Amino acid sequence: GTDGCNAIKTTWEVDGDKILISSFTTTQKACAGVDTWLSKASSATVEGNVMKIADASGKVVGGLEKEDK
């Protein structure tokens, strides 16, 4: 995937209602205006049309809204 600037590669698995995100690799480009919150991802939960991303301590650091196609 991408954060809009850097390429991100990871693996994940489902554990009950939680998505566990393995450590990942990412490029380290310095792009103006790109927030790097996604690099803190450790787990995620889906609530409706939003995937809430949490860091290793369980704190929600952001969310991704499902796009209608």
Side-chain angles (χ1 to χ4, degrees):
T2 181
D3 63 6
C5 174
N6 292 292
I8 299 170
K9 184 175 181 180
T10 188
T11 58
W12 54 271
E13 67 180 271
V14 176
D15 181 18
D17 62 350
K18 188 178 274 190
I19 300 164
L20 303 177
I21 302 167
S22 300
S23 59
F24 53 85
T25 59
T26 181
T27 56
Q28 296 294 310
K29 297 177 188 174
C31 300
V34 174
D35 190 346
T36 60
W37 66 270
L38 198 52
S39 66
K40 299 175 181 129
S42 179
S43 65
T45 55
V46 177
E47 295 180 21
N49 286 335
V50 178
M51 178 184 285
K52 293 185 177 183
I53 308 297
D55 65 13
S57 71
K59 178 183 173 189
V60 174
V61 294
L64 301 169
E65 191 169 342
K66 181 180 177 181
E67 282 186 10
D68 291 327
K69 291 190 177 193

